[in-house]
Amino acid sequence: MTYVADAIGRRPGVSQPSALPPVIVSRQTASGRVAMVLFLLAVVALAAMPWWAKTGTIRMVLELCCYIAVAQMWNMLAGYAGLVSVGQQAFMGAAGYALFVLAQTFGVNPFIAIFLALLVPLVLAVPCYMLLHRLDGPYFAIGTWVVAEVFRLVASNMGFLNAGAGMSLNVMKEYSLLERNIAMSLLCALLILVTIGGSYWFLRSRYGLALIAMRDNPVAAASQGVNVPRLRFMIYIAAAVGCGLAGAIYSMAQLRINPPSAFDPMWANVAIFIVMVGGIASIEGVLIGATIYFIADRWFGQYGASYFVVLGVMTVFVALYARGGIWGAVSKRWDVHWFPIRRHLIYKPEDKA
């Protein structure tokens, strides 16, 4: 709620020192309003891609949307919940395989199977967190990587999943190119709306305030009544489902899945690069970092290992000398917020008689 208060936070009706000017407590900024309009227009543009973009462009935009979604889920884990994971590809691969099994083996409509497939990462994330939540710091990160490798090895040895040979989504041949493009475009828009819009809504809620308090000081947050274990569990489950949605959409676009591609650790590397370079604990940083990575991948991906070395050095440099990332430096210099989640004090001039 926005209300007028004095500089020490008292509301109207309370005797106020005349020397202190009144202020407005606001949760929105001018740049935030503009960004919200642009965000909604971007979602509409994604949904309308079949009518303004070619098939190749749609595939590239879909890949960018998956980068954004996975990076934002990692950002919620590491940037807010303090859970550094390098194994989110486990849930991407699980949802991708679930989609292929439902659509190809059981004949479920593939566009409905995408949402049914999210039940798999949702269910798997619960025992995984129960196993990992006792670990802390680097041990938690190593544990998540081990879980992802276990998922990959299980998929590689299950005859039901065609083992290491993988599966093809032949049922997509029943749909025309236009129908597939429309479906992919709508799924892109939904993916961004759920991961970016959903994260923004969550961070502005009372749970978001508790999450920020927990990020800054878990012990102090717990002393003020924040249920730290439950909140971390919620974020872990939500991140698993978000990554699962991105994995299912990406696998559908590829029309084929196998264990090495489904559980590719490169997804974790990409997410870490995007968040660290763009700006950890900020939605704006994810968008900036994903754009940088996408452009760099298109321009310099042909150089192979040398290209990844440069990205790694860039990540280390940012971590050492600009811990807030690019967006951290920008917001500190100009005090702009595209997705504001904190309250701001705006001084209100006093009326003169």
Side-chain angles (χ1 to χ4, degrees), residues 3 56 65 130 153 162 175 181 201 214 271 288-289 331 333 344:
Y3 58 87
C65 290
M130 294 297 103
L153 291 173
N162 204 20
Y175 301 92
N181 286 343
W201 169 80
M214 183 184 74
I288 293 172
S331 60
R333 174 65 178 84
H344 303 273

Side-chain angles (χ1 to χ4, degrees), residues 6-296:
D6 61 24
I8 60 174
R10 293 176 180 171
R11 298 197 180 193
V14 179
S15 59
Q16 303 177 12
S18 58
L20 297 175
V23 298
I24 296 176
V25 181
S26 176
R27 298 186 64 186
Q28 189 57 274
T29 62
S31 58
R33 295 186 184 94
V34 174
M36 186 54 58
V37 172
L38 294 177
F39 173 73
L40 294 176
L41 289 176
V43 171
V44 173
L46 288 174
M49 278 194 297
W51 292 275
W52 62 265
K54 297 180 179 179
T55 301
T57 303
I58 293 176
R59 291 181 65 87
M60 288 192 297
V61 172
L62 183 144
E63 185 176 349
L64 175 60
C65 290
C66 289
Y67 289 153
I68 293 173
V70 175
Q72 178 55 25
M73 294 300 96
W74 192 88
N75 187 36
M76 292 293 290
L77 280 171
Y80 290 98
L83 301 172
V84 180
S85 171
V86 292
Q88 292 305 105
Q89 65 271 15
F91 304 111
M92 297 180 67
Y97 263 109
L99 162 66
F100 275 63
V101 170
L102 288 172
Q104 192 64 36
T105 305
F106 295 103
V108 179
N109 184 297
F111 304 114
I112 297 176
I114 280 186
F115 302 102
L116 296 177
L118 299 182
L119 294 174
V120 175
L122 175 64
V123 172
L124 291 176
V126 175
C128 288
Y129 185 79
M130 294 297 103
L131 179 66
L132 297 171
H133 81 283
R134 297 182 182 275
L135 304 177
D136 194 18
Y139 301 102
F140 180 87
I142 295 173
T144 59
W145 174 79
V146 170
V147 168
E149 284 301 294
V150 169
F151 279 30
R152 182 184 65 81
L153 291 173
V154 170
S156 300
N157 290 277
M158 290 187 67
F160 186 69
L161 301 179
N162 204 20
M167 302 177 66
S168 297
L169 199 61
N170 296 322
V171 294
M172 293 299 290
K173 296 178 180 178
E174 301 174 5
Y175 301 92
S176 66
L177 180 61
L178 178 60
E179 290 174 331
R180 293 199 298 270
N181 286 343
I182 291 175
M184 291 294 104
S185 301
L186 292 175
L187 289 171
C188 281
L190 178 64
L191 181 63
I192 294 300
L193 190 62
V194 169
T195 54
I196 299 298
S199 296
Y200 183 50
W201 169 80
F202 183 85
L203 291 173
R204 285 174 60 89
S205 69
R206 64 188 182 94
Y207 292 106
L209 293 175
L211 188 61
I212 293 172
M214 183 184 74
R215 177 198 64 189
D216 295 339
N217 193 322
V219 177
S223 69
Q224 296 299 314
V226 176
N227 193 328
V228 174
R230 184 178 68 177
L231 198 54
R232 282 180 170 170
F233 174 73
M234 290 172 57
I235 294 299
Y236 188 85
I237 298 299
V241 174
C243 288
L245 179 59
I249 293 174
Y250 185 81
S251 297
M252 172 180 279
Q254 300 302 311
L255 299 178
R256 181 164 179 78
I257 191 172
N258 56 56
S261 64
F263 303 99
D264 190 354
M266 184 56 64
W267 283 105
N269 300 335
V270 169
I272 294 172
F273 171 84
I274 288 173
V275 175
M276 295 299 295
V277 172
I280 194 169
S282 67
I283 298 176
E284 300 91 339
V286 169
L287 299 177
I288 293 172
T291 303
I292 291 174
Y293 176 80
F294 181 77
I295 294 174

